[in-house]
Amino acid sequence: MARDAQTVREPLEIKQQKRGDLVAEAIKRLITEGNLLPGDRLPREVELQQMFAVSKSTIREALKSLEVQGLIKVSTGPSGGGMVVEVPLERTFQLMQNYLFFKEVSIDDIYTVRQLLEPELAAGAVPHLTEADFDALEHNMACCSPASHDRRELLRQRQADMDFHDILAAANPNSFLRFTCELVNEMIRQLIVFGNETPRREHEKFGTANVDIHRQITDAARAGDAQRVRELMHLHMQEARTYIKRMNGKLRGRLILDSDIVDMQQRVRSQLGTNGVRAPAGEGKRVAKPTTTRVATSATSATKAVGKSAAKPKATGTKAVGAMAKTKADAKTDTKTEAATKAAPARKRRTVSS
């Protein structure tokens, strides 16, 4: 009886990765081991074909996959190809939304995280704030002061309040803390809305309270008092949570479209006027090492890894990825023909300046 059950049982199907996915992983490895930075170019399509022994369509599929992930930008034409880019915060925000789509997240949840992280973010930024940063903070407070009686304008100002926190984030050298806080700030900017029944005076009170506490935080930061900044930011997070709940704030839906994010950014830029650009603290020192040998080695190891991961090829069609390791010598030759990669400028993130 047991024997019959074993006979009836179907064998487990082991799914194999597509060639395009394997090549995409290999190109990621090339970027990492070659220490490529935003602005650096990948080898041309024909060279990637030779490097990985696959067809043009497979290379294009891999490049498209990396472009969708936000890791590269692909251009067409004789001088086209893939260029490494910094993954934009907006793309990361979209992916986070997808993850949270089936999870219950409340305003209280968001502000619990903010109350833990924002005080440390602000305190850590204090020693690194420049005069340009203080000018941007002053400009933000001037723009967000609730002088208008237009309800829509008041709402835009509350969204622009978040830029104050982004300016502080850009000055903090802890890239992981900065990234986490910026994501939370983007959630608040995009997702929290207030009911039409909320009186205008409540918006004005909230705006006045925000500007007042931002003023105290800025003054303490100018004095170099990181502990005072930490305490004030903790108080600010408590007040903000109270105001939002009192104003019947709620999360609108669970997904925001790309077009909505672009529109929001344009409105904030218009509200704040000119834009300044500052490289986040601690990132300006990173310089690419344009060593051709390193890139060649990276390409070879990437080819090896793809070869090991690939399944046995079929008899027909394009050469399978499993044969990629055989192109080891070709990979080195092809890569050496590439000009040494130039160091890209330090990664920049938008902040606000006066």
Side-chain angles (χ1 to χ4, degrees), residues 1 34 59 97 144 165 169 191 205 223 260-261 289 297 307 331 335 350:
M1 198 65 152
I59 290 297
Q97 281 190 107
C144 294
H165 298 269
L191 295 180
K205 286 180 181 179
D260 292 336
I261 293 178
K289 297 180 180 180
T297 303
T335 312
R350 178 183 64 82

Side-chain angles (χ1 to χ4, degrees), residues 134-204:
F134 284 114
D135 288 344
L137 293 172
E138 294 287 348
H139 183 72
N140 176 263
M141 287 184 287
C143 288
C144 294
S145 182
S148 172
H149 294 292
D150 184 341
R151 188 176 179 281
R152 288 175 298 178
E153 184 70 13
L154 290 170
L155 283 172
R156 285 195 291 269
Q157 287 179 331
R158 300 297 64 77
Q159 291 161 345
D161 278 334
M162 304 310 304
D163 285 9
F164 181 92
H165 298 269
D166 287 341
I167 295 167
L168 295 176
N172 192 301
N174 186 327
S175 58
F176 186 70
L177 178 59
R178 179 174 67 242
F179 164 76
T180 306
C181 290
E182 285 179 333
L183 275 181
V184 174
N185 290 345
E186 194 68 17
M187 283 190 72
I188 294 172
R189 185 184 280 119
Q190 302 291 346
L191 295 180
I192 293 183
V193 294
F194 302 98
N196 291 329
E197 70 280 2
T198 303
R200 188 185 64 210
R201 64 177 178 274
E202 287 296 328
H203 287 284
E204 293 175 347

Side-chain angles (χ1 to χ4, degrees), residues 3 27 45 71 93 111 115 117 129 154 159 168 181-182 206 227 237 250 267 291 301 304 313 327 348:
R3 187 174 181 179
I27 295 174
E45 281 187 10
L71 293 171
F93 175 64
Y111 269 88
Q115 197 162 328
L117 299 183
L129 288 168
L154 290 170
Q159 291 161 345
L168 295 176
C181 290
E182 285 179 333
F206 188 22
Q227 180 56 32
M237 294 299 98
K250 60 182 179 180
R267 286 197 299 271
T291 307
S301 61
K304 277 184 177 180
T327 62
K348 298 181 178 180

Side-chain angles (χ1 to χ4, degrees), residues 237-255:
M237 294 299 98
Q238 289 178 321
E239 286 185 343
R241 185 203 302 244
T242 301
Y243 269 109
I244 287 176
K245 294 177 73 173
R246 194 168 74 190
M247 295 165 62
N248 299 317
K250 60 182 179 180
L251 300 180
R252 63 175 179 117
R254 286 187 259 180
L255 283 178

Side-chain angles (χ1 to χ4, degrees), residues 16 32 61 74 83 88 122 166 226 230 239 253 278 282 285 335:
Q16 299 174 355
T32 300
E61 180 186 347
V74 179
M83 181 177 70
D166 287 341
R230 182 182 287 108
E239 286 185 343
R278 171 197 172 112
K285 298 179 181 179
T335 312

Side-chain angles (χ1 to χ4, degrees), residues 5-21:
Q6 290 178 353
T7 304
V8 173
R9 184 183 302 162
E10 295 181 359
L12 294 175
E13 181 183 355
I14 300 177
K15 293 184 179 180
Q16 299 174 355
Q17 281 186 286
K18 295 192 301 183
R19 293 177 186 173
D21 293 338

